[in-house]
Amino acid sequence: MAKRLPAEPLFAAKLARRRFLTVTGAAAALALGARLPAATASTERPRGYPFTLGVASGDPLPDGVVLWTRLAPEPLDPFGGMPYDRIVPVLWEVAEDERFRRVVRRGTALADPEYAHSVHVDVRGLRPSAEYFYRFMAGAEISPVGRTKTAPAAGASVSALNFAFASCQHRVVGYYTAYQHMCQEDLDVVLHLGDYIYEGPDQGTLGRGHAPARFLETLDDYRIRLAQYKTDPDLQAAHAAFPWIVTLDDHEVLSNWAGEHSFYYPQESIEQFLVRRANAFRAYWEHMPLRLAQLPQGPDMPLYRRFTYGDMAQFSVLDTRQYRSDQANNDRNSPPNDQTRDPNRTMLGGAQEQWLFDGLSTSPTTWNVLAQQVFFSQLDLDPDDARELYVMDQWDGYEASRNRIVDFLQERQVRNPVVLTGDIHANNACDVKANFDDPDSATVAVELVGTSISSSGDGSDTDPARDALADQLPHIKYYNVQRGYVRCTLTPDLWRTDFKVVPYVSRPGAPIRTDATLVVENGRPGLQFD
């Protein structure tokens, strides 16, 4: 019999009751941090199997990891089929073996209706670079078993690091076949760079239509949509197979939102949008393996954070939505102008930008990774060499912000910077230039842009419109518009990137292949085909 171990500290906090978080006047209480009476404890067993959304782990540290589940016997019910006024105890275990013969940590967490009966356990006291298995129990029901892995110890010599990154999983237009294949990889961690859900009412033709069938606005709306996405078996399997590090982009809230500004501004006021944002953030935290430190306070969620894997890699996970200035030129594709060049406009906000610079300037690792959302390199969409046309939602619309980062990387000689990007539903591999208008200027970093898991539906190997841009984008060494994910293998000498693609997502069962492999050598910025 396993030795009884002390329970870990419970992951709990008291904020506004979920039934008030709508777009009524009471919803404003969330943004103001109102407090309401707590639910009562209950030993009542869940009605039906409670682990319909699977399990997940995330944000690995050398000595710990976050374990997640949510009790939801009826996942598309606003309450998940759980009593809205009862706290339910959930047992959890962490073991060194899949059969739980060597349990090393166990405890009881409280699934509170205030957080949709979600459970976030910040397990500590684990060994660095170690594989573990975990599970939950509620009443007589046992969850699926998940596998996780801790990060290496600080400063430890690491011979290899394997990870994948993904983004953009619009369920309506495609199946998550790429995740099936990802589960066959030997990975230390997975990074998700945003657009975990989509906020629209679309139904599509694949039988994977959105619930609820409306644009998301209330807390109930966002909870149901996130639960619906998490019922997907391939997504559940990928969560159970690896620890994830997540960040959000726009569709977790509303397309192309920027700071306090709605896509529908000024029709939707700042005050109205902040209520929507607070609802979206609360539901997002409830459904992700995030620590208590990331728990939203009304419309604010501290999501940027840093992870270090020994002496191999440091990941600075950025938030390019919450602190940015509103898009230039009313978010219309435009040539560069005074707005895009305005140094007072920002993508990251002053505090996050300084946090990034501080981390990069003291990083002890060989590879320094900026994990973020939108296209960082210059992307001129006008095939006429005499004209320029840029997407204002991307870093091209925030030139001064980008220039500050590029200048910092170059002036401080940051070791081997690599930018990871999602968002645009296409694979790209770019050399980040000191001056994008001068192809002969120094290469300061590289950018790896991953395609979507399913968004935009079935893709293609090439795109005629993009082919027409090739001559004016010499810094972009590779692109592809099929669906898939990106696998990266790091050693002290070499960064290897495999762009993994599937030929279709409109039906299940697609095979996967490596469309291209590019490498970066330590100390030699710039991409090379392998």
Side-chain angles (χ1 to χ4, degrees), residues 79-133:
F79 299 98
M82 296 292 293
Y84 68 87
D85 58 351
R86 292 290 184 268
I87 294 171
V88 179
V90 178
L91 281 66
W92 55 268
E93 291 183 327
V94 177
E96 294 178 332
D97 66 302
E98 199 167 3
R99 303 181 72 175
F100 290 83
R101 291 173 173 170
R102 301 190 304 277
V103 174
V104 297
R105 288 288 184 275
R106 62 159 55 97
T108 301
L110 299 180
D112 193 324
E114 194 158 330
Y115 305 103
H117 289 99
S118 63
V119 175
H120 303 69
V121 182
D122 189 356
V123 182
R124 296 301 178 99
L126 304 179
R127 293 181 293 108
S129 298
E131 179 182 68
Y132 291 99
F133 300 88

Side-chain angles (χ1 to χ4, degrees), residues 131-384:
E131 179 182 68
Y132 291 99
F133 300 88
Y134 62 95
R135 65 184 178 185
F136 299 89
M137 288 154 276
E141 302 291 354
I142 302 176
S143 76
V145 174
R147 171 199 170 273
T148 193
K149 190 174 184 181
T150 54
S157 178
V158 178
S159 60
L161 173 64
N162 300 295
F163 73 92
F165 66 94
S167 63
C168 305
Q169 51 194 44
H170 192 182
R171 63 168 277 126
V172 172
V173 298
Y175 290 89
Y176 295 170
T177 311
Y179 282 136
Q180 284 185 15
H181 296 288
M182 184 187 290
C183 288
Q184 306 307 310
E185 304 272 13
D186 181 13
L187 302 175
D188 296 297
V189 68
V190 170
L191 280 72
H192 196 284
L193 301 181
D195 293 345
Y196 192 96
I197 62 168
Y198 281 70
E199 79 283 11
D202 41 328
Q203 296 299 298
T205 61
L206 303 181
R208 292 169 60 85
H210 274 152
R214 58 179 175 269
F215 277 102
L216 306 182
E217 192 169 16
T218 69
L219 179 58
D220 282 352
D221 291 344
Y222 284 103
R223 282 177 169 171
I224 292 169
R225 184 65 57 83
L226 277 152
Q228 182 190 34
Y229 271 62
K230 292 187 83 72
T231 59
D232 185 276
D234 297 324
L235 178 57
Q236 285 192 18
H239 269 299
F242 315 107
W244 284 37
I245 297 171
V246 301
T247 189
L248 55 70
D249 194 10
D250 56 334
H251 288 291
E252 288 88 350
V253 181
L254 186 69
S255 180
N256 278 28
W257 67 278
E260 297 181 341
H261 290 87
S262 167
F263 179 77
Y264 300 115
Y265 181 82
Q267 289 79 14
E268 181 177 51
S269 70
I270 289 176
E271 293 75 17
Q272 289 171 322
F273 174 68
L274 288 179
V275 173
R276 183 199 297 265
R277 195 175 95 176
N279 290 332
F281 282 4
R282 168 66 77 89
Y284 181 81
W285 183 86
E286 290 170 345
H287 288 82
M288 295 295 147
L290 291 167
R291 287 188 166 82
L292 184 60
Q294 277 65 59
L295 177 67
Q297 301 294 320
D300 302 315
M301 179 166 58
L303 198 57
Y304 63 86
R305 55 210 195 281
R306 183 173 292 118
F307 300 91
T308 303
Y309 276 69
D311 64 354
M312 181 65 74
Q314 177 176 276
F315 295 89
S316 296
V317 181
L318 305 183
D319 178 348
T320 62
R321 286 288 160 193
Q322 201 170 170
Y323 311 103
R324 67 156 72 189
S325 306
D326 198 11
Q327 290 94 345
N329 305 320
N330 294 316
D331 203 13
R332 294 190 298 267
N333 292 356
S334 309
N337 56 52
D338 290 343
Q339 276 189 288
T340 67
R341 301 187 184 102
D342 183 354
N344 295 314
R345 296 179 65 255
T346 178
M347 178 69 89
L348 301 181
Q352 183 180 193
E353 186 174 293
Q354 188 60 54
W355 169 88
L356 173 63
F357 291 164
D358 290 345
L360 291 172
S361 63
T362 58
S363 171
T365 63
T366 299
W367 306 98
N368 286 283
V369 184
L370 282 64
Q372 56 95 53
Q373 295 79 2
V374 294
F375 210 93
F376 186 83
S377 302
Q378 191 179 84
L379 184 60
D380 183 0
L381 299 179
D382 195 324
D384 188 335

Side-chain angles (χ1 to χ4, degrees), residues 14-17 19-20 35-40 112 114:
K14 302 299 176 189
L15 291 177
R17 244 325 124 231
R19 58 181 177 273
F20 286 89
R35 293 175 180 268
L36 294 168
T40 58
D112 193 324
E114 194 158 330

